[in-house]
Amino acid sequence: VLEVLKEIPAGVDICDPIPVEYTVRNVGEAAAPGVVVAEDLQQGLVTKDGKRAVRFEVGDLAAGATKEFTAELTAAGTGIY
């Protein structure tokens, strides 16, 4: 059983990157092989390298283990995302 949490700042200044923190935790009793965390981004958000999705290759995640990743996003304009 995997648990994925996403933490986004309440606000950022114009032109600043938006750090989005992902945490994946194996709350099960067995190892989880080949774990991938992926998310399509909503319209107006892109990664630093211009992609419309984030993808983290976690790999094997032992029971009770946690891995954290940060994606830096950029907004195409002002607004609420």
Side-chain angles (χ1 to χ4, degrees):
V1 178
L2 297 176
E3 176 180 82
V4 179
L5 303 172
K6 179 170 81 170
E7 192 171 329
I8 304 168
V12 294
D13 291 331
I14 293 175
C15 297
D16 281 353
I18 304 165
V20 179
E21 296 178 11
Y22 294 85
T23 302
V24 59
R25 181 175 301 130
N26 183 348
V27 295
E29 296 181 12
V35 176
V36 175
V37 175
E39 178 181 29
D40 291 330
L41 300 173
Q42 68 185 61
Q43 187 67 31
L45 292 176
V46 294
T47 62
K48 277 193 323 187
D49 54 355
K51 295 181 181 171
R52 294 258 312 114
V54 294
R55 181 178 174 92
F56 301 106
E57 301 282 341
V58 179
D60 298 343
L61 196 60
T66 298
K67 290 211 178 173
E68 297 177 347
F69 305 92
T70 300
E72 285 193 10
L73 307 182
T74 302
T78 59
I80 298 173
Y81 294 94

